[in-house]
Amino acid sequence: MPTFELNLSDDVYAEFQQLADEEFVSEEQAAEDLIASGIEAYNVSVVDDEPRDEMLDGAENNMFDTAEDPGSIEDDRL
């Protein structure tokens, strides 16, 4: 199994140790699982570059078509 050295700040290492103690059998298992999870999360493929909400599109398109003038000149006369 390949090995590598990693330098962490004291704060990050303290968080890692706490997580390893609470959730994993050993620090080695914690490091392996967390790195694997991070790689998996990083390699997420995007199916749609610009996901659009059809309902939102309809609302945006109709917003000005159906709106009345809320500051009508007729309302300002005394």
Side-chain angles (χ1 to χ4, degrees):
M1 180 184 301
T3 60
F4 66 95
E5 185 175 316
L6 178 66
N7 295 319
L8 301 172
S9 68
D10 291 338
D11 294 340
V12 172
Y13 184 64
E15 288 181 45
F16 170 75
Q17 282 183 316
Q18 182 179 2
L19 183 62
D21 289 343
E22 293 174 1
E23 301 292 330
F24 296 94
V25 175
S26 66
E27 285 190 7
E28 290 81 15
Q29 181 199 13
E32 184 176 344
D33 288 355
L34 292 170
I35 291 170
S37 296
I39 291 171
E40 184 178 316
Y42 185 78
N43 287 325
V44 172
S45 62
V46 177
V47 175
D48 188 3
D49 290 340
E50 288 189 34
R52 297 290 298 179
D53 184 346
E54 291 178 18
M55 183 176 159
L56 181 60
D57 285 344
E60 288 173 351
N61 292 335
N62 292 328
M63 185 167 62
F64 295 107
D65 294 341
T66 59
E68 295 180 19
D69 182 11
S72 175
I73 292 175
E74 300 297 324
D75 294 339
D76 291 339
R77 294 186 184 165
L78 296 175

